Amino acid sequence: MPETSFFTHLECGWCGRKYDPDKLWNLCPECGKPLLARYDLEKARKAITPEELSNREPTLWRYRELLPVRNEIFKLSLGEGYTPLIRASRLEKEVGHSPLFIKEEGLNPTGSFKARGLSLAVSRAYELGVKALSIPSAGNAACALSAYAALAGLEAHVYMPADVPKPFINECRVLGAQVHLIDGLITDCGKAARADLEKYGRFDVSTLKEPYRIEGKKTMGYELAEQLGCTLPDVIIYPTGGGTGLVGMWKAFDELEKLGWIGSKRPRMVTVQSEGCAPLVRAFREGKEFAESWPNARTIADGLRVPAAIGDFLILRALRESGGTAVAVPDSEILQATYLLGRTTGIWPAPEGGATLAAFIRLKKDGWVKENESVVLFNTGNGAKYSRVWD
Ligand SMILES: *Cc1c(COP(=O)(O)O)cnc(C)c1O
């Protein structure tokens, strides 16, 4: 099997130190910040064009040259990525703005965009010889890890808050994972998972604590460019927990420009969080480089219940460099917007998806989003498993 990837090395997103791409890494051993994958984009630019991609498989693996997996036999695919970008024309009439698009991530394997990241992280761990994987999760990441570990035949240990809705637990168990339920928040799950890592020799695939989940999620940026004919929207509204998708897309846009597929124009990136857990919104407003941990985090949007994000400085940088902003919305508006999104589009959104619409409505009212600007809302997951929200 010829190697197709142009992956060259890992680089710390904070201190810039470089690391061997074919060893197993978590955070930068020097400064404890996330490592990012780098590619030979000069070579890639000569080797591939967007036209050549058009006939490839409809998954994120169509961008294999810009992904870190070396040998195709380690590629774990359940059909993730290449999700539709839907023009929401009935919603446009309802909110008085066009064009408005929904990136429908609920169609991914296991019902959320976590499949993108875990497809890459598990493929790469598999390629580097890992046997057992561990993750703290609010639900969706646990399901995605369970699925790709099952596909590869690896051991998966998922740590979820004890109050996670039952359908998430059921899915992980059917997919053969060991489920650990922890009294507390995702940060407490992280602590419990860490305590077992060394003891049992498991590899930690917490988001941004290993370098490849972001590579899976960056493909959302590649897809937007491809689906919009090598252009990008004016505004992207993204429900931000750990921020992997937002940072990933921002990285993708730089890669795309170096590949010569797009120009220098960038979308304004918007983070939306719940008023019950808005550490990044607070840090953005206060002009800080890092976000302080949010006490007593509460929201119906489980994926946004992240009191502290290890990639906070990367998220805040992307928001500022793009001329974007950060918005906190109350859960009551999230819920209303979730129903509005559902009844005007036919998509059953996760509340995180509803949050992007709630943020849009505010930004439109404030005049921050101008007439005729193209806006992409990310519905990051399917709503079906959030049983507590609908009961
Ligand atoms: C995890 C998750 C998020 C947050 O994603 P990040 O990229 O970590 O910020 C948003 N929505 C859903 C449905 C999620 O599962």
Side-chain angles (χ1 to χ4, degrees), residues 161-194:
D163 65 354
V164 69
K166 199 72 197 301
F168 290 101
I169 301 174
N170 294 342
E171 182 168 353
C172 291
R173 291 202 170 128
V174 172
L175 296 173
Q178 295 290 316
V179 177
H180 308 258
L181 295 176
I182 306 297
D183 279 316
L185 296 181
I186 183 145
T187 31
D188 301 297
C189 296
K191 267 180 224 153
R194 268 197 301 284

PDB file of all heavy atoms in Angstrom, residues 161-194:
ATOM      1  N   PRO A 161     -20.457  11.007  33.416  1.00  0.00           N
ATOM      2  CA  PRO A 161     -21.168  11.402  34.637  1.00  0.00           C
ATOM      3  C   PRO A 161     -22.334  10.430  34.873  1.00  0.00           C
ATOM      4  O   PRO A 161     -22.983  10.004  33.917  1.00  0.00           O
ATOM      5  CB  PRO A 161     -21.690  12.803  34.311  1.00  0.00           C
ATOM      6  CG  PRO A 161     -20.866  13.284  33.156  1.00  0.00           C
ATOM      7  CD  PRO A 161     -20.456  12.070  32.399  1.00  0.00           C
ATOM      8  N   ALA A 162     -22.584  10.098  36.136  1.00  0.00           N
ATOM      9  CA  ALA A 162     -23.619   9.111  36.461  1.00  0.00           C
ATOM     10  C   ALA A 162     -24.997   9.553  35.975  1.00  0.00           C
ATOM     11  O   ALA A 162     -25.873   8.722  35.742  1.00  0.00           O
ATOM     12  CB  ALA A 162     -23.634   8.865  37.964  1.00  0.00           C
ATOM     13  N   ASP A 163     -25.203  10.878  35.775  1.00  0.00           N
ATOM     14  CA  ASP A 163     -26.517  11.357  35.338  1.00  0.00           C
ATOM     15  C   ASP A 163     -26.641  11.443  33.811  1.00  0.00           C
ATOM     16  O   ASP A 163     -27.568  12.043  33.285  1.00  0.00           O
ATOM     17  CB  ASP A 163     -26.834  12.707  35.981  1.00  0.00           C
ATOM     18  CG  ASP A 163     -25.886  13.824  35.536  1.00  0.00           C
ATOM     19  OD1 ASP A 163     -24.903  13.541  34.807  1.00  0.00           O
ATOM     20  OD2 ASP A 163     -26.117  14.985  35.924  1.00  0.00           O
ATOM     21  N   VAL A 164     -25.715  10.837  33.074  1.00  0.00           N
ATOM     22  CA  VAL A 164     -25.801  10.849  31.613  1.00  0.00           C
ATOM     23  C   VAL A 164     -27.064  10.081  31.184  1.00  0.00           C
ATOM     24  O   VAL A 164     -27.420   9.074  31.806  1.00  0.00           O
ATOM     25  CB  VAL A 164     -24.511  10.224  30.980  1.00  0.00           C
ATOM     26  CG1 VAL A 164     -24.426   8.724  31.240  1.00  0.00           C
ATOM     27  CG2 VAL A 164     -24.435  10.491  29.486  1.00  0.00           C
ATOM     28  N   PRO A 165     -27.825  10.572  30.180  1.00  0.00           N
ATOM     29  CA  PRO A 165     -29.035   9.853  29.775  1.00  0.00           C
ATOM     30  C   PRO A 165     -28.747   8.392  29.393  1.00  0.00           C
ATOM     31  O   PRO A 165     -27.726   8.089  28.786  1.00  0.00           O
ATOM     32  CB  PRO A 165     -29.536  10.655  28.571  1.00  0.00           C
ATOM     33  CG  PRO A 165     -28.993  12.029  28.781  1.00  0.00           C
ATOM     34  CD  PRO A 165     -27.664  11.840  29.449  1.00  0.00           C
ATOM     35  N   LYS A 166     -29.675   7.526  29.751  1.00  0.00           N
ATOM     36  CA  LYS A 166     -29.520   6.081  29.590  1.00  0.00           C
ATOM     37  C   LYS A 166     -29.141   5.639  28.162  1.00  0.00           C
ATOM     38  O   LYS A 166     -28.328   4.717  28.011  1.00  0.00           O
ATOM     39  CB  LYS A 166     -30.833   5.408  30.051  1.00  0.00           C
ATOM     40  CG  LYS A 166     -30.714   3.935  30.385  1.00  0.00           C
ATOM     41  CD  LYS A 166     -29.966   3.685  31.695  1.00  0.00           C
ATOM     42  CE  LYS A 166     -29.479   2.238  31.826  1.00  0.00           C
ATOM     43  NZ  LYS A 166     -30.538   1.235  31.763  1.00  0.00           N
ATOM     44  N   PRO A 167     -29.732   6.247  27.130  1.00  0.00           N
ATOM     45  CA  PRO A 167     -29.401   5.770  25.770  1.00  0.00           C
ATOM     46  C   PRO A 167     -27.896   5.800  25.453  1.00  0.00           C
ATOM     47  O   PRO A 167     -27.406   4.962  24.698  1.00  0.00           O
ATOM     48  CB  PRO A 167     -30.164   6.730  24.858  1.00  0.00           C
ATOM     49  CG  PRO A 167     -31.295   7.224  25.695  1.00  0.00           C
ATOM     50  CD  PRO A 167     -30.760   7.306  27.099  1.00  0.00           C
ATOM     51  N   PHE A 168     -27.150   6.752  26.033  1.00  0.00           N
ATOM     52  CA  PHE A 168     -25.698   6.798  25.799  1.00  0.00           C
ATOM     53  C   PHE A 168     -25.027   5.567  26.421  1.00  0.00           C
ATOM     54  O   PHE A 168     -24.161   4.933  25.813  1.00  0.00           O
ATOM     55  CB  PHE A 168     -25.086   8.073  26.404  1.00  0.00           C
ATOM     56  CG  PHE A 168     -25.470   9.335  25.690  1.00  0.00           C
ATOM     57  CD1 PHE A 168     -26.457  10.171  26.200  1.00  0.00           C
ATOM     58  CD2 PHE A 168     -24.827   9.701  24.511  1.00  0.00           C
ATOM     59  CE1 PHE A 168     -26.809  11.351  25.543  1.00  0.00           C
ATOM     60  CE2 PHE A 168     -25.160  10.881  23.856  1.00  0.00           C
ATOM     61  CZ  PHE A 168     -26.166  11.706  24.378  1.00  0.00           C
ATOM     62  N   ILE A 169     -25.451   5.233  27.640  1.00  0.00           N
ATOM     63  CA  ILE A 169     -24.875   4.077  28.350  1.00  0.00           C
ATOM     64  C   ILE A 169     -25.187   2.800  27.581  1.00  0.00           C
ATOM     65  O   ILE A 169     -24.312   1.960  27.340  1.00  0.00           O
ATOM     66  CB  ILE A 169     -25.451   3.993  29.782  1.00  0.00           C
ATOM     67  CG1 ILE A 169     -25.145   5.274  30.562  1.00  0.00           C
ATOM     68  CG2 ILE A 169     -24.913   2.761  30.511  1.00  0.00           C
ATOM     69  CD1 ILE A 169     -25.801   5.350  31.934  1.00  0.00           C
ATOM     70  N   ASN A 170     -26.453   2.676  27.172  1.00  0.00           N
ATOM     71  CA  ASN A 170     -26.873   1.470  26.429  1.00  0.00           C
ATOM     72  C   ASN A 170     -26.020   1.287  25.179  1.00  0.00           C
ATOM     73  O   ASN A 170     -25.551   0.187  24.883  1.00  0.00           O
ATOM     74  CB  ASN A 170     -28.345   1.581  26.022  1.00  0.00           C
ATOM     75  CG  ASN A 170     -29.277   1.569  27.225  1.00  0.00           C
ATOM     76  OD1 ASN A 170     -28.885   1.156  28.326  1.00  0.00           O
ATOM     77  ND2 ASN A 170     -30.492   2.033  27.037  1.00  0.00           N
ATOM     78  N   GLU A 171     -25.829   2.375  24.430  1.00  0.00           N
ATOM     79  CA  GLU A 171     -25.086   2.271  23.165  1.00  0.00           C
ATOM     80  C   GLU A 171     -23.647   1.817  23.418  1.00  0.00           C
ATOM     81  O   GLU A 171     -23.140   0.926  22.740  1.00  0.00           O
ATOM     82  CB  GLU A 171     -25.111   3.609  22.415  1.00  0.00           C
ATOM     83  CG  GLU A 171     -24.388   3.512  21.066  1.00  0.00           C
ATOM     84  CD  GLU A 171     -24.640   4.719  20.166  1.00  0.00           C
ATOM     85  OE1 GLU A 171     -25.473   5.581  20.497  1.00  0.00           O
ATOM     86  OE2 GLU A 171     -23.975   4.783  19.121  1.00  0.00           O
ATOM     87  N   CYS A 172     -22.997   2.426  24.407  1.00  0.00           N
ATOM     88  CA  CYS A 172     -21.603   2.051  24.709  1.00  0.00           C
ATOM     89  C   CYS A 172     -21.520   0.568  25.065  1.00  0.00           C
ATOM     90  O   CYS A 172     -20.600  -0.140  24.638  1.00  0.00           O
ATOM     91  CB  CYS A 172     -21.058   2.886  25.865  1.00  0.00           C
ATOM     92  SG  CYS A 172     -20.837   4.617  25.429  1.00  0.00           S
ATOM     93  N   ARG A 173     -22.481   0.089  25.839  1.00  0.00           N
ATOM     94  CA  ARG A 173     -22.456  -1.322  26.262  1.00  0.00           C
ATOM     95  C   ARG A 173     -22.662  -2.249  25.084  1.00  0.00           C
ATOM     96  O   ARG A 173     -21.970  -3.264  24.948  1.00  0.00           O
ATOM     97  CB  ARG A 173     -23.510  -1.565  27.345  1.00  0.00           C
ATOM     98  CG  ARG A 173     -23.125  -0.877  28.644  1.00  0.00           C
ATOM     99  CD  ARG A 173     -23.801  -1.496  29.863  1.00  0.00           C
ATOM    100  NE  ARG A 173     -23.196  -0.928  31.069  1.00  0.00           N
ATOM    101  CZ  ARG A 173     -23.895  -0.376  32.059  1.00  0.00           C
ATOM    102  NH1 ARG A 173     -25.218  -0.337  32.020  1.00  0.00           N
ATOM    103  NH2 ARG A 173     -23.261   0.115  33.113  1.00  0.00           N
ATOM    104  N   VAL A 174     -23.617  -1.912  24.212  1.00  0.00           N
ATOM    105  CA  VAL A 174     -23.844  -2.754  23.026  1.00  0.00           C
ATOM    106  C   VAL A 174     -22.583  -2.803  22.167  1.00  0.00           C
ATOM    107  O   VAL A 174     -22.244  -3.841  21.589  1.00  0.00           O
ATOM    108  CB  VAL A 174     -25.038  -2.234  22.192  1.00  0.00           C
ATOM    109  CG1 VAL A 174     -25.144  -2.983  20.865  1.00  0.00           C
ATOM    110  CG2 VAL A 174     -26.338  -2.366  22.975  1.00  0.00           C
ATOM    111  N   LEU A 175     -21.848  -1.674  22.137  1.00  0.00           N
ATOM    112  CA  LEU A 175     -20.638  -1.607  21.311  1.00  0.00           C
ATOM    113  C   LEU A 175     -19.425  -2.208  22.031  1.00  0.00           C
ATOM    114  O   LEU A 175     -18.293  -2.105  21.557  1.00  0.00           O
ATOM    115  CB  LEU A 175     -20.370  -0.158  20.899  1.00  0.00           C
ATOM    116  CG  LEU A 175     -21.461   0.446  19.994  1.00  0.00           C
ATOM    117  CD1 LEU A 175     -21.216   1.933  19.774  1.00  0.00           C
ATOM    118  CD2 LEU A 175     -21.542  -0.276  18.656  1.00  0.00           C
ATOM    119  N   GLY A 176     -19.666  -2.810  23.187  1.00  0.00           N
ATOM    120  CA  GLY A 176     -18.612  -3.604  23.822  1.00  0.00           C
ATOM    121  C   GLY A 176     -17.652  -2.849  24.718  1.00  0.00           C
ATOM    122  O   GLY A 176     -16.632  -3.402  25.136  1.00  0.00           O
ATOM    123  N   ALA A 177     -17.978  -1.573  25.041  1.00  0.00           N
ATOM    124  CA  ALA A 177     -17.066  -0.791  25.892  1.00  0.00           C
ATOM    125  C   ALA A 177     -17.307  -1.101  27.368  1.00  0.00           C
ATOM    126  O   ALA A 177     -18.384  -1.554  27.747  1.00  0.00           O
ATOM    127  CB  ALA A 177     -17.280   0.699  25.648  1.00  0.00           C
ATOM    128  N   GLN A 178     -16.290  -0.863  28.195  1.00  0.00           N
ATOM    129  CA  GLN A 178     -16.432  -0.908  29.652  1.00  0.00           C
ATOM    130  C   GLN A 178     -16.904   0.471  30.093  1.00  0.00           C
ATOM    131  O   GLN A 178     -16.206   1.464  29.873  1.00  0.00           O
ATOM    132  CB  GLN A 178     -15.075  -1.190  30.306  1.00  0.00           C
ATOM    133  CG  GLN A 178     -14.503  -2.560  29.987  1.00  0.00           C
ATOM    134  CD  GLN A 178     -15.300  -3.661  30.670  1.00  0.00           C
ATOM    135  OE1 GLN A 178     -15.650  -3.549  31.839  1.00  0.00           O
ATOM    136  NE2 GLN A 178     -15.606  -4.716  29.919  1.00  0.00           N
ATOM    137  N   VAL A 179     -18.098   0.531  30.708  1.00  0.00           N
ATOM    138  CA  VAL A 179     -18.663   1.822  31.109  1.00  0.00           C
ATOM    139  C   VAL A 179     -18.389   2.074  32.590  1.00  0.00           C
ATOM    140  O   VAL A 179     -18.708   1.241  33.432  1.00  0.00           O
ATOM    141  CB  VAL A 179     -20.185   1.849  30.848  1.00  0.00           C
ATOM    142  CG1 VAL A 179     -20.791   3.159  31.332  1.00  0.00           C
ATOM    143  CG2 VAL A 179     -20.475   1.625  29.372  1.00  0.00           C
ATOM    144  N   HIS A 180     -17.767   3.234  32.885  1.00  0.00           N
ATOM    145  CA  HIS A 180     -17.516   3.644  34.265  1.00  0.00           C
ATOM    146  C   HIS A 180     -18.358   4.890  34.537  1.00  0.00           C
ATOM    147  O   HIS A 180     -18.169   5.907  33.875  1.00  0.00           O
ATOM    148  CB  HIS A 180     -16.038   3.989  34.477  1.00  0.00           C
ATOM    149  CG  HIS A 180     -15.091   2.906  34.025  1.00  0.00           C
ATOM    150  ND1 HIS A 180     -14.471   2.044  34.899  1.00  0.00           N
ATOM    151  CD2 HIS A 180     -14.658   2.544  32.786  1.00  0.00           C
ATOM    152  CE1 HIS A 180     -13.700   1.197  34.215  1.00  0.00           C
ATOM    153  NE2 HIS A 180     -13.797   1.488  32.934  1.00  0.00           N
ATOM    154  N   LEU A 181     -19.316   4.797  35.489  1.00  0.00           N
ATOM    155  CA  LEU A 181     -20.163   5.954  35.802  1.00  0.00           C
ATOM    156  C   LEU A 181     -19.617   6.648  37.045  1.00  0.00           C
ATOM    157  O   LEU A 181     -19.354   6.013  38.059  1.00  0.00           O
ATOM    158  CB  LEU A 181     -21.607   5.504  36.021  1.00  0.00           C
ATOM    159  CG  LEU A 181     -22.272   4.925  34.758  1.00  0.00           C
ATOM    160  CD1 LEU A 181     -23.671   4.406  35.073  1.00  0.00           C
ATOM    161  CD2 LEU A 181     -22.327   5.962  33.634  1.00  0.00           C
ATOM    162  N   ILE A 182     -19.436   7.977  36.927  1.00  0.00           N
ATOM    163  CA  ILE A 182     -18.753   8.753  37.972  1.00  0.00           C
ATOM    164  C   ILE A 182     -19.700   9.815  38.520  1.00  0.00           C
ATOM    165  O   ILE A 182     -20.354  10.521  37.745  1.00  0.00           O
ATOM    166  CB  ILE A 182     -17.500   9.455  37.363  1.00  0.00           C
ATOM    167  CG1 ILE A 182     -16.586   8.455  36.647  1.00  0.00           C
ATOM    168  CG2 ILE A 182     -16.751  10.256  38.429  1.00  0.00           C
ATOM    169  CD1 ILE A 182     -15.980   7.377  37.525  1.00  0.00           C
ATOM    170  N   ASP A 183     -19.771   9.948  39.836  1.00  0.00           N
ATOM    171  CA  ASP A 183     -20.563  11.021  40.438  1.00  0.00           C
ATOM    172  C   ASP A 183     -19.815  12.324  40.232  1.00  0.00           C
ATOM    173  O   ASP A 183     -18.732  12.498  40.783  1.00  0.00           O
ATOM    174  CB  ASP A 183     -20.769  10.770  41.939  1.00  0.00           C
ATOM    175  CG  ASP A 183     -21.899   9.783  42.164  1.00  0.00           C
ATOM    176  OD1 ASP A 183     -22.940   9.936  41.499  1.00  0.00           O
ATOM    177  OD2 ASP A 183     -21.728   8.860  42.975  1.00  0.00           O
ATOM    178  N   GLY A 184     -20.370  13.231  39.420  1.00  0.00           N
ATOM    179  CA  GLY A 184     -19.713  14.516  39.183  1.00  0.00           C
ATOM    180  C   GLY A 184     -19.777  14.913  37.721  1.00  0.00           C
ATOM    181  O   GLY A 184     -20.552  14.355  36.944  1.00  0.00           O
ATOM    182  N   LEU A 185     -18.936  15.896  37.355  1.00  0.00           N
ATOM    183  CA  LEU A 185     -18.918  16.441  35.999  1.00  0.00           C
ATOM    184  C   LEU A 185     -17.862  15.745  35.154  1.00  0.00           C
ATOM    185  O   LEU A 185     -17.119  14.890  35.630  1.00  0.00           O
ATOM    186  CB  LEU A 185     -18.591  17.935  36.048  1.00  0.00           C
ATOM    187  CG  LEU A 185     -19.589  18.846  36.747  1.00  0.00           C
ATOM    188  CD1 LEU A 185     -19.104  20.290  36.666  1.00  0.00           C
ATOM    189  CD2 LEU A 185     -20.974  18.724  36.131  1.00  0.00           C
ATOM    190  N   ILE A 186     -17.745  16.181  33.900  1.00  0.00           N
ATOM    191  CA  ILE A 186     -16.764  15.591  32.988  1.00  0.00           C
ATOM    192  C   ILE A 186     -15.340  15.735  33.525  1.00  0.00           C
ATOM    193  O   ILE A 186     -14.505  14.845  33.336  1.00  0.00           O
ATOM    194  CB  ILE A 186     -16.907  16.173  31.562  1.00  0.00           C
ATOM    195  CG1 ILE A 186     -15.937  15.489  30.602  1.00  0.00           C
ATOM    196  CG2 ILE A 186     -16.690  17.665  31.529  1.00  0.00           C
ATOM    197  CD1 ILE A 186     -16.468  15.309  29.227  1.00  0.00           C
ATOM    198  N   THR A 187     -15.088  16.839  34.255  1.00  0.00           N
ATOM    199  CA  THR A 187     -13.748  17.022  34.840  1.00  0.00           C
ATOM    200  C   THR A 187     -13.460  15.928  35.889  1.00  0.00           C
ATOM    201  O   THR A 187     -12.329  15.455  35.997  1.00  0.00           O
ATOM    202  CB  THR A 187     -13.627  18.427  35.484  1.00  0.00           C
ATOM    203  OG1 THR A 187     -14.914  18.808  35.973  1.00  0.00           O
ATOM    204  CG2 THR A 187     -13.181  19.453  34.485  1.00  0.00           C
ATOM    205  N   ASP A 188     -14.493  15.517  36.637  1.00  0.00           N
ATOM    206  CA  ASP A 188     -14.320  14.434  37.614  1.00  0.00           C
ATOM    207  C   ASP A 188     -14.104  13.098  36.879  1.00  0.00           C
ATOM    208  O   ASP A 188     -13.335  12.248  37.322  1.00  0.00           O
ATOM    209  CB  ASP A 188     -15.547  14.340  38.521  1.00  0.00           C
ATOM    210  CG  ASP A 188     -15.790  15.648  39.257  1.00  0.00           C
ATOM    211  OD1 ASP A 188     -14.919  16.041  40.040  1.00  0.00           O
ATOM    212  OD2 ASP A 188     -16.827  16.290  39.006  1.00  0.00           O
ATOM    213  N   CYS A 189     -14.800  12.941  35.743  1.00  0.00           N
ATOM    214  CA  CYS A 189     -14.605  11.740  34.915  1.00  0.00           C
ATOM    215  C   CYS A 189     -13.154  11.688  34.429  1.00  0.00           C
ATOM    216  O   CYS A 189     -12.537  10.623  34.406  1.00  0.00           O
ATOM    217  CB  CYS A 189     -15.546  11.738  33.713  1.00  0.00           C
ATOM    218  SG  CYS A 189     -17.283  11.664  34.175  1.00  0.00           S
ATOM    219  N   GLY A 190     -12.627  12.850  34.061  1.00  0.00           N
ATOM    220  CA  GLY A 190     -11.239  12.941  33.609  1.00  0.00           C
ATOM    221  C   GLY A 190     -10.273  12.483  34.702  1.00  0.00           C
ATOM    222  O   GLY A 190      -9.335  11.744  34.445  1.00  0.00           O
ATOM    223  N   LYS A 191     -10.548  12.907  35.935  1.00  0.00           N
ATOM    224  CA  LYS A 191      -9.692  12.519  37.070  1.00  0.00           C
ATOM    225  C   LYS A 191      -9.724  11.010  37.275  1.00  0.00           C
ATOM    226  O   LYS A 191      -8.686  10.364  37.453  1.00  0.00           O
ATOM    227  CB  LYS A 191     -10.180  13.215  38.350  1.00  0.00           C
ATOM    228  CG  LYS A 191      -9.462  14.531  38.609  1.00  0.00           C
ATOM    229  CD  LYS A 191      -9.967  15.184  39.898  1.00  0.00           C
ATOM    230  CE  LYS A 191     -10.173  16.681  39.661  1.00  0.00           C
ATOM    231  NZ  LYS A 191     -11.185  17.277  40.526  1.00  0.00           N
ATOM    232  N   ALA A 192     -10.931  10.445  37.262  1.00  0.00           N
ATOM    233  CA  ALA A 192     -11.080   8.999  37.468  1.00  0.00           C
ATOM    234  C   ALA A 192     -10.381   8.223  36.353  1.00  0.00           C
ATOM    235  O   ALA A 192      -9.700   7.226  36.606  1.00  0.00           O
ATOM    236  CB  ALA A 192     -12.560   8.638  37.528  1.00  0.00           C
ATOM    237  N   ALA A 193     -10.533   8.706  35.122  1.00  0.00           N
ATOM    238  CA  ALA A 193      -9.906   8.026  33.982  1.00  0.00           C
ATOM    239  C   ALA A 193      -8.384   8.072  34.113  1.00  0.00           C
ATOM    240  O   ALA A 193      -7.707   7.068  33.901  1.00  0.00           O
ATOM    241  CB  ALA A 193     -10.349   8.683  32.668  1.00  0.00           C
ATOM    242  N   ARG A 194      -7.863   9.236  34.502  1.00  0.00           N
ATOM    243  CA  ARG A 194      -6.406   9.396  34.636  1.00  0.00           C
ATOM    244  C   ARG A 194      -5.828   8.453  35.689  1.00  0.00           C
ATOM    245  O   ARG A 194      -4.760   7.879  35.504  1.00  0.00           O
ATOM    246  CB  ARG A 194      -6.060  10.848  35.007  1.00  0.00           C
ATOM    247  CG  ARG A 194      -5.788  11.731  33.801  1.00  0.00           C
ATOM    248  CD  ARG A 194      -5.054  13.014  34.174  1.00  0.00           C
ATOM    249  NE  ARG A 194      -5.776  13.842  35.133  1.00  0.00           N
ATOM    250  CZ  ARG A 194      -6.829  14.600  34.842  1.00  0.00           C
ATOM    251  NH1 ARG A 194      -7.318  14.634  33.607  1.00  0.00           N
ATOM    252  NH2 ARG A 194      -7.427  15.334  35.772  1.00  0.00           N
TER     253      ARG A 194
END
